[in-house]
Amino acid sequence: MLSRVADSLYWMSRYLERAEHTAQVLDVNLQRMLEQAPRHAARRWERVMKTLRLVKTKPEKLDAFTLTSELTFNPSTRESILACMAAARENARQVREQIPSEMWEKINKLYLRVKSATMEDVWRGESHEFLSGVREGIHLFHGITDGLMNHNEGWHFIQVGRFIERAQSTAALLGAYGPDLVNAADRIADVRDYFEWVGMLRSCMAFEAYCKVYTADLRPERITEFLLLNAEFPRSVHFSAIMVQSALNAIAEFTGTKKASRANRLAGRLRSMLGFSQIDEILGEDLNTYLDDIQHHCAQIHVATHQIYISYPIESALAS
Amino acid sequence: MHYTIRHITRFHYTHPVSESLTEARMQPITDANQRCLNFELSTSPEARIMSYRDHLGNIVHNFDIPGHHSKLTITAKALVDVQDPAPLPDSLPISAWKELDSIVSRDDFYEILVPSPFTQATPLLAEFTRELAVGRDDDPLTLLHRINSGIFQRFDYAPQTTRVDSPIDDALRARKGVCQDFSHIMIALVRQVGIPCRYVSGYLFHRTEDHDRSAADSSHAWVEALLPGIGWVGFDPTNNLVAGGRHIRVAVGCDYADVPPTRGVFKGQAKSELSVAVSVLPSTEPAPTQMNYSPILSIGSHGAEPDWASEEFAQQIQQQQ
Amino acid sequence: MTLPATGLPERFAAYELGAAYDEMFTPEMRPRAHYQTLYESLLELPPEEMRRRQEAADLSFLNQGITFTVYGRDEGTERIFPFDLLPRIITHAEWDTVERGLTQRITALNLFLKDLYHHGKILSDGVVPRELIYTCKHFRRDMRGLQVRRDIYVSVAGIDLIRTPDGSFAVLEDNLRVPSGVSYMLVNRQVIMRVFPHLFRNYGVRPIDHYSQALLATLRALAPDNHPDPNIVVLTPGVYNSAYFEHAFLARQMGLELVEGRDLLLHDNVVYMRTTAGLKRVDVIYRRIDDDFVDPLAFRPDSMLGVAGLFNAYRAGNVALANAIGTGVADDKAMYAYVPKIIKYYLGEDAILQNVDTYLCGDDSQRAYVLANLDKMVVKPVGESGGYGMLIGPHSTRKQQEEFRHLISATPRNYIAQPTVQLSCAPCSVDGSVEPRHIDLRPYVLHSAERTTIVPGGLTRVALTKGSLVVNSSQGGGSKDTWVLFDPRDRIDGETSRRSFL
């Protein structure tokens, strides 16, 4: 397939995943806020920024209204829902004729809905309704994609984009909560800890899945293990790495590219790193270093994939 | 006379570029008065050199360099045998105009009788036409000599004052310029009276005893006009010469736009700086030990990455039938 | 059934005949023989049913995604190209003339282009003035002496025909660069077969769905000799082009890759496309980008749509382009006036399809006539298409006429004028009733060294506004399906040919 088309599918998928993540994190934190004393608010929103990897951009005020508006509608905030939806739609539009029309229609409708909404609508009405609407729209999009699109090379590029983004998002979430988790490991948890942890799990829709595995007994090391190393939970870093690797293998087979080995090797290394890690070792050493390592790996896989399939140097392609 | 020509062109890019494509018009013409005995073009980074003959009959070499590079050097070497043209008569009968008109009506000289991009009629040109009293009062040959020396006398030779792609008005206003400007002005004047006139790019062999105005270490340009009973005659308004055995012709066209020594595009956000060194020596002399490079001010565009979000792009994309 | 004053059933109460030729009715208001069945069906079709079917048709376009996206204020909203429900019907005999006329015309124009870009005999012989060529903005001097594969310059043409008041077809305009609209021809047929299945079956309509195969064969014929599996691509300016739907549609129908300029690159005079499996050589390009933009190295250096160096690969014979570069010189509207002479010159025949009288503003006496009669004429810029920049004399204001007087005087070569021609009228469905609207016809001609293929019919464009003569989609035009009927002599045993639609 054309490199440009593969690139557009990959980015469409990444941006959608990012929009979903932002919507979910925002939704959970707006709800938590209602149940919490205002004095904790600033810290909460700082952590939201960190979860969304927005540490560099500091809004003027760290209050709920400003941030919600920022993260929903500011087209120049990289992680805002509107910015992500616009970028996802633009990428989908570039390949509109290569994907089932239902996919385009879904993404277009969702974009138009986000674009036409106003902060007043979201704030005065139920923000939850709006944000979960975005999330559901994206879930529906993925359902259409899996159900209607040929599971060809293009579909696998969608998978790679989606799960690289997800691995990075979940790792960022762990990074934002990391210090609290590590501190709490040495003492008995109180109600406030418990409250935060539920919020964290909900931020990646993991609460119910966690309970199924560990019961509702929330412990920092278990939460970390679940979000990082669980191989069955679709939002864990480990699961994402498995998906990335298998999609990259499929792509290598489709294209018959020998040079693919670099991206596949990186994906394989990330996967086995997660597969063979023990949570007590990770926590015993340094969680942050471990998470940085994951981010670094994901970035490398992204670059390698791009270099092999999309922006490869012409002279090397001619030589082979 | 046999000449050895070395023409080195160096592009420097402010940032690495890739996928550069370049065309070069550097191979001297072979015809009745001149034979190109040997020609070599090489590049660094290396590239496969291809060539074709363009619609004007010039030989064009083209090549591309796909990988990243921040320098490009093109080296052209030629061995040329130039004959002195047959001596011109002192003048032509006034009836030569009639003969000329009849030649023009029989064959296709359309493009070299009307203004081309660099030889547009402007108010300043009209003024200059009156100043030199360009018209059909003299015979064609006498008129051409008059225009040739008229430009020579009224303009200063001033390198670096105009760019290679400057409109003639810049030179007309300042009364100074370089060989391209003088050639363009002469072409514009000559075509007005119905004499087919074309632009020639090439080299001039400089001898100290000649006191040529044009620079020795760069390429040169002059014009050729068609005269009945004689054929193409070269006039060099920069040096007030009739082109002869020292003028080595490389390419002909309507004006500079048809025959730039190099033209190219590349991918990347970079500016390119161009410098050129030329040496023309009798083939009996040894090669120069050192070449003297001079910068050339902008050769139009050596393109850059398009802006996909621009208004311009939006307009281009809408064209359809 | 009540008969209104006109003697027609109520259904046609609003149907008034004007000066134009009417496709359905004779001047005596009797349905022509080949419209009889449609006429009767319309009488039986209640207005609400007609409305329902119109809605069904519109929905069908929407559902198939045959829409263009409106950008700007209503960003993201989708519109359909208006479709009129009632087919336009052409008899076998009429089509036979059209087909012969178009074949003759395309053959001559192709020879003209070859001559023009080589020896220019027609110019030396003084049949076409040299000045007209050199002043044409679509003339490509770089094409002189360039060997075009199989000497085919125009592979795909769209020739705009009109029916004059005497009932004969005449050529209004040649489109030899990148004519568009053929996808609507194909889709209109699909839709009408769903909306009027019985009517369609009873009529014996010649099929058109082999267009994509014929186009592919035409493109394949441009591939290098003995190439078993040439890589042919469709080159589009991109998703924002208003004809993008068509580019994608044709690529899909032919099973070809749809590429943009940025997907292609040049190395050693060979064109490659960038795929996830590496670079793949390209042999033939069906390009839907104008000459100016195909190669920033050879043509407009500011082009962002093209491929740098493409022209050198083309010259080297490493890639074929359809259409060739420089075909626009032959569809210049001033050149149009010379086409009958061009046909005579190369083929020794008289033109089968007539031209509309054309005045060249570049000619002093013709310009004087035009300027004196601006209110009666249609003035067109020579190098434009899509109905832009026109003056429709009878429908224009004094101010507009003055504007054109200035424009023409400033650059006379850029304008031609024609007497206002009454395009023929055809019945159209207007909110449940049937009214006449002006139409034209754009058949698509596929031309290769072996054969000329014209699928029977073409795109019938409709001026949807009552009385309007402008059919261009950019100016509020729509389209309808075009039915070319089988030869009635074949109809007795025509069952075999018709069965394929059942």
Side-chain angles (χ1 to χ4, degrees):
Chain A
M1 85 188 306
L2 288 175
S3 299
R4 173 179 53 83
V5 172
D7 193 41
S8 291
L9 291 172
Y10 172 85
W11 280 110
M12 171 194 78
S13 170
R14 277 199 82 142
Y15 281 119
L16 277 179
E17 183 68 24
R18 202 172 288 176
E20 186 191 340
H21 183 61
T22 302
Q24 179 65 16
V25 168
L26 203 53
D27 191 16
V28 168
N29 283 284
L30 284 170
Q31 284 182 52
R32 302 267 103 181
M33 183 190 72
L34 301 176
E35 305 162 24
Q36 197 186 26
R39 63 195 154 90
H40 300 299
R43 216 179 123 243
R44 161 169 312 281
W45 293 116
E46 237 166 87
R47 198 166 52 201
V48 166
M49 299 293 280
K50 212 175 160 200
T51 304
L52 298 177
R53 289 177 280 165
L54 279 169
V55 270
K56 278 179 199 138
T57 47
K58 271 254 163 25
E60 286 167 33
K61 289 188 290 179
L62 272 175
D63 63 74
F65 186 89
T66 313
L67 260 174
T68 306
S69 154
E70 191 81 6
L71 293 174
T72 309
F73 294 115
N74 189 344
S76 53
T77 299
R78 205 176 53 117
E79 314 275 329
S80 83
I81 296 171
L82 182 62
C84 291
M85 284 309 304
R89 170 177 178 264
E90 188 49 40
N91 277 288
R93 197 220 301 273
Q94 296 289 341
V95 293
R96 191 176 158 178
E97 302 300 329
Q98 323 257 355
I99 55 177
S101 51
E102 290 84 353
M103 281 171 71
W104 160 252
E105 278 163 27
K106 188 73 231 162
I107 209 167
N108 192 37
K109 262 187 215 155
L110 195 56
Y111 163 76
L112 291 174
R113 208 169 101 201
V114 172
K115 192 173 189 280
S116 61
T118 65
M119 191 54 201
E120 277 79 62
D121 298 340
V122 173
W123 196 249
R124 249 187 306 128
E126 269 294 293
S127 66
H128 173 67
E129 211 166 285
F130 174 78
L131 293 168
S132 65
V134 169
R135 228 174 43 223
E136 279 159 20
I138 293 170
H139 292 169
L140 194 52
F141 176 83
H142 282 306
I144 292 168
T145 304
D146 290 350
L148 289 182
M149 187 178 177
N150 289 335
H151 286 208
N152 55 15
E153 206 186 325
W155 185 81
H156 287 289
F157 271 103
I158 293 179
Q159 298 299 101
V160 176
R162 183 180 181 189
F163 285 102
I164 282 193
E165 181 68 27
R166 184 174 292 177
Q168 292 193 296
S169 297
T170 305
L173 178 73
L174 278 163
Y177 282 86
D180 293 346
L181 287 168
V182 173
N183 288 341
D186 303 331
R187 57 178 167 81
I188 294 169
D190 59 20
V191 181
R192 242 187 50 217
D193 291 330
Y194 193 80
F195 180 77
E196 290 301 335
W197 294 340
V198 172
M200 180 193 182
L201 285 166
R202 288 228 160 103
S203 290
C204 60
M205 289 173 270
F207 183 64
E208 285 177 27
Y210 175 91
C211 295
K212 285 229 162 65
V213 176
Y214 298 104
T215 74
D217 182 9
L218 298 186
R219 293 202 206 149
E221 70 278 9
R222 285 185 181 171
I223 293 172
T224 313
E225 180 179 45
F226 186 69
L227 293 184
L228 208 49
L229 304 179
N230 189 293
E232 280 98 40
F233 176 58
R235 301 201 163 249
S236 79
V237 180
H238 188 190
F239 184 92
S240 303
I242 293 169
M243 296 303 279
V244 168
Q245 192 198 14
S246 93
L248 281 174
N249 284 343
I251 291 168
E253 214 160 289
F254 271 110
T255 56
T257 318
K258 290 187 201 84
K259 290 167 296 175
S261 56
R262 190 176 134 70
N264 295 41
R265 211 172 49 239
L266 285 164
R269 197 190 294 163
L270 176 64
R271 184 195 165 163
S272 51
M273 171 179 136
L274 289 155
F276 292 113
S277 288
Q278 295 288 333
I279 194 62
D280 42 345
E281 282 172 22
I282 297 171
L283 292 174
E285 284 166 30
D286 183 6
L287 176 63
N288 262 333
T289 312
Y290 192 82
L291 293 172
D292 284 349
D293 212 14
I294 289 169
Q295 296 284 8
H296 182 64
H297 257 91
C298 289
Q300 276 192 315
I301 295 168
H302 163 81
V303 170
T305 306
H306 218 261
Q307 278 174 354
I308 292 162
Y309 298 108
I310 317 288
S311 62
Y312 48 81
I314 293 160
E315 60 274 27
S316 67
L318 288 164
S320 63
Chain B
M1 177 114 162
H2 284 63
Y3 296 101
T4 305
I5 299 153
R6 284 178 186 75
H7 184 163
I8 304 175
T9 310
R10 293 202 297 208
F11 290 98
H12 258 270
Y13 304 106
T14 50
H15 298 282
V17 302
S18 65
E19 292 182 51
S20 73
L21 285 96
T22 310
E23 285 191 344
R25 284 171 170 82
M26 291 185 176
Q27 176 168 333
I29 291 172
T30 291
D31 63 10
N33 284 327
Q34 175 179 303
R35 286 178 62 76
C36 177
L37 301 169
N38 190 33
F39 181 78
E40 282 168 45
L41 189 97
S42 59
T43 65
S44 164
E46 268 184 61
R48 189 177 144 207
I49 314 287
M50 293 152 296
S51 73
Y52 66 90
R53 189 179 287 275
D54 73 8
H55 65 284
L56 300 160
N58 305 309
I59 303 283
V60 187
H61 290 85
N62 67 301
F63 59 87
D64 66 272
I65 296 165
H68 282 93
H69 53 287
S70 29
K71 263 192 276 187
L72 168 62
T73 307
I74 305 166
T75 308
K77 279 187 211 159
L79 177 64
V80 188
D81 180 13
V82 185
Q83 311 282 318
D84 282 324
L88 287 176
D90 291 337
S91 66
L92 292 177
I94 198 82
S95 62
W97 286 113
K98 231 174 132 185
E99 240 179 291
L100 184 72
D101 289 344
S102 112
I103 293 172
V104 163
S105 69
R106 276 199 308 273
D107 275 312
D108 182 4
F109 295 106
Y110 190 90
E111 286 181 298
I112 45 176
L113 280 169
V114 296
S116 44
F118 283 120
T119 65
Q120 294 294 316
T122 64
L124 280 177
L125 183 79
E127 212 173 282
F128 191 58
T129 307
R130 283 191 295 276
E131 186 179 332
L132 288 187
V134 176
R136 286 193 166 193
D137 299 334
D138 295 323
D139 73 89
L141 180 57
T142 306
L143 174 69
L144 288 165
H145 281 306
R146 227 161 37 73
I147 296 174
N148 200 34
S149 59
I151 294 173
F152 176 79
Q153 286 154 7
R154 285 171 173 78
F155 286 79
D156 286 334
Y157 182 79
Q160 312 288 335
T161 45
T162 53
R163 299 159 24 139
V164 288
D165 49 1
S166 290
I168 52 173
D169 270 1
D170 289 2
L172 281 168
R173 197 172 297 120
R175 287 298 163 108
K176 56 187 178 187
V178 293
C179 54
Q180 281 96 348
D181 305 309
F182 306 150
S183 301
H184 285 150
I185 292 167
M186 179 151 182
I187 287 171
L189 295 173
V190 172
R191 287 184 191 165
Q192 284 180 1
V193 290
I195 304 177
C197 187
R198 65 192 187 188
Y199 184 97
V200 187
S201 82
Y203 310 101
L204 179 65
F205 170 54
H206 289 73
R207 295 173 300 191
T208 35
E209 66 266 33
D210 291 316
H211 308 291
D212 298 317
R213 293 204 304 194
S214 55
D217 44 15
S218 63
S219 49
H220 189 46
W222 59 98
V223 310
E224 282 181 346
L226 186 71
L227 287 173
I230 303 176
W232 292 103
V233 179
F235 292 89
D236 179 351
T238 310
N239 301 309
N240 195 17
L241 292 172
V242 170
R246 295 197 289 128
H247 286 81
I248 300 147
R249 296 147 71 236
V250 170
V252 295
C254 291
D255 60 25
Y256 174 79
D258 281 342
V259 292
T262 56
R263 172 161 65 199
V265 294
F266 58 74
K267 282 197 179 150
Q269 297 284 0
K271 284 204 177 83
S272 73
E273 289 151 14
L274 168 62
S275 57
V276 169
V278 169
S279 86
V280 181
L281 292 170
S283 60
T284 47
E285 283 184 30
T289 46
Q290 207 186 342
M291 300 283 283
N292 185 14
Y293 287 89
S294 47
I296 304 281
L297 302 174
S298 160
I299 256 216
S301 71
H302 217 74
E305 201 79 359
D307 177 4
W308 299 103
S310 68
E311 186 73 8
E312 172 65 24
F313 177 65
Q315 278 173 12
Q316 287 192 12
I317 216 157
Q318 281 315 331
Q319 29 93 18
Q320 67 156 319
Q321 191 167 22
Chain C
M1 194 174 293
T2 54
L3 288 182
T6 53
L8 276 180
E10 199 183 342
R11 202 59 211 279
F12 296 94
Y15 208 103
E16 283 167 27
L17 294 190
Y21 179 89
D22 193 89
E23 299 281 338
M24 180 153 74
F25 291 111
T26 65
E28 299 78 36
M29 281 303 257
R30 269 189 221 103
R32 298 177 194 277
H34 58 288
Y35 269 93
Q36 185 70 37
T37 313
L38 176 65
Y39 175 75
E40 284 162 12
S41 312
L42 287 175
L43 288 181
E44 289 164 17
L45 199 69
E48 54 275 21
E49 177 60 16
M50 192 146 102
R51 258 187 232 117
R52 196 191 63 75
R53 293 199 188 187
Q54 180 73 52
E55 278 161 20
D58 291 348
L59 194 64
S60 176
F61 278 95
L62 261 180
N63 289 345
Q64 288 184 68
I66 306 155
T67 53
F68 51 93
T69 312
V70 181
Y71 298 106
R73 228 175 332 155
D74 299 323
E75 199 186 354
T77 55
E78 307 274 319
R79 299 265 170 84
I80 61 167
F81 180 38
F83 171 72
D84 181 77
L85 204 53
L86 308 182
R88 180 258 182 94
I89 305 168
I90 297 172
T91 66
H92 171 80
E94 286 169 343
W95 179 253
D96 185 57
T97 310
V98 167
E99 195 171 25
R100 284 187 299 113
L102 292 175
T103 305
Q104 177 197 52
R105 198 171 176 97
I106 198 76
T107 308
L109 286 172
N110 202 63
L111 290 169
F112 173 58
L113 283 162
K114 188 195 168 192
D115 185 21
L116 213 56
Y117 287 123
H118 287 87
H119 304 294
K121 271 188 76 232
I122 198 168
L123 306 180
S124 327
D125 289 345
V127 178
V128 171
R130 189 162 262 134
E131 185 178 1
L132 203 60
I133 304 293
Y134 282 107
T135 53
C136 173
K137 74 170 182 175
H138 297 298
F139 174 63
R140 291 283 160 209
R141 44 207 291 266
D142 324 55
M143 280 293 288
R144 282 181 302 202
L146 192 148
Q147 190 57 42
V148 166
R149 198 147 318 139
R150 311 253 196 290
D151 288 333
I152 295 298
Y153 285 79
V154 179
S155 300
V156 185
I159 313 285
D160 293 345
L161 304 177
I162 59 168
R163 208 202 275 263
T164 53
D166 71 359
S168 63
F169 280 98
V171 177
L172 189 63
E173 209 171 293
D174 301 294
N175 294 282
L176 309 176
R177 285 170 280 152
V178 282
S180 61
V182 75
S183 58
Y184 293 108
M185 170 185 89
L186 295 168
V187 173
N188 285 354
R189 175 60 54 86
Q190 290 170 16
V191 169
I192 208 143
M193 281 168 73
R194 235 168 282 157
V195 180
F196 285 129
H198 298 294
L199 188 67
F200 184 84
R201 214 172 301 150
N202 291 336
Y203 248 107
V205 181
R206 293 179 62 187
I208 55 168
D209 28 314
H210 53 291
Y211 179 83
S212 307
Q213 285 144 272
L215 175 58
L216 182 61
T218 306
L219 297 172
R220 202 181 276 273
L222 291 176
D225 288 317
N226 310 323
H227 200 311
D229 187 22
N231 184 20
I232 307 171
V233 299
V234 180
L235 176 62
T236 171
V239 290
Y240 297 102
N241 183 277
S242 50
Y244 181 74
F245 161 75
E246 175 158 306
H247 308 156
F249 178 89
L250 291 174
R252 202 167 43 217
Q253 294 260 317
M254 292 189 283
L256 304 179
E257 201 74 71
L258 178 67
V259 304
E260 294 179 23
R262 51 191 163 138
D263 295 321
L264 302 180
L265 60 99
L266 260 288
H267 180 63
D268 289 353
N269 278 358
V270 172
V271 184
Y272 295 93
M273 63 182 192
R274 196 185 261 280
T275 77
T276 53
L279 299 180
K280 190 172 175 199
R281 187 179 168 143
V282 174
D283 303 298
V284 180
I285 300 176
Y286 177 37
R287 48 110 181 186
R288 298 293 298 257
I289 296 183
D290 280 349
D291 287 356
D292 274 349
F293 296 97
V294 291
D295 180 358
L297 182 63
F299 306 115
R300 268 180 66 159
D302 62 337
S303 168
M304 307 170 193
L305 312 173
V307 191
L310 180 62
F311 194 60
N312 281 343
Y314 182 55
R315 186 191 338 255
N318 291 336
V319 69
L321 298 178
N323 290 342
I325 305 283
T327 53
V329 67
D331 75 10
D332 180 284
K333 291 190 177 68
M335 201 65 66
Y336 159 89
Y338 288 89
V339 175
K341 284 183 184 165
I342 289 171
I343 293 173
K344 186 84 182 170
Y345 183 81
Y346 293 106
L347 305 178
E349 300 167 5
D350 290 323
I352 297 168
L353 294 169
Q354 296 308 304
N355 262 17
V356 172
D357 290 340
T358 300
Y359 300 89
L360 306 181
C361 297
D363 179 286
D364 291 343
S365 62
Q366 296 185 41
R367 180 173 64 249
Y369 178 81
V370 171
L371 292 176
N373 293 282
L374 271 181
D375 56 334
K376 300 184 196 70
M377 313 203 92
V378 177
V379 182
K380 300 174 179 175
V382 293
E384 302 295 326
S385 49
Y388 290 102
M390 282 172 32
L391 174 82
I392 312 260
H395 296 181
S396 63
T397 63
R398 214 140 256 268
K399 190 159 163 266
Q400 287 167 327
Q401 290 170 24
E402 281 316 300
E403 271 169 35
F404 269 78
R405 192 179 300 281
H406 285 297
L407 287 171
I408 292 170
S409 307
T411 51
R413 164 65 177 88
N414 284 345
Y415 292 90
I416 56 131
Q418 294 165 338
T420 315
V421 196
Q422 288 292 324
L423 311 185
S424 63
C425 285
C428 291
S429 117
V430 180
D431 193 27
S433 98
V434 180
E435 289 180 32
R437 291 287 183 269
H438 291 292
I439 57 166
D440 78 348
L441 175 65
R442 178 182 282 191
Y444 295 89
V445 186
L446 299 172
H447 183 64
S448 70
E450 288 75 30
R451 67 182 70 84
T452 302
T453 310
I454 308 166
V455 294
L459 184 68
T460 293
R461 299 185 296 179
V462 187
L464 291 172
T465 314
K466 190 173 184 176
S468 165
L469 291 167
V470 186
V471 295
N472 302 86
S473 61
S474 49
Q475 322 268 314
S479 75
K480 51 165 65 209
D481 194 19
T482 311
W483 292 4
V484 174
L485 305 182
F486 276 110
D487 189 343
R489 284 166 298 180
D490 299 341
R491 281 210 70 182
I492 299 139
D493 54 349
E495 281 306 316
T496 42
S497 37
R498 274 190 283 142
R499 191 157 297 145
S500 56
F501 312 117
L502 295 175

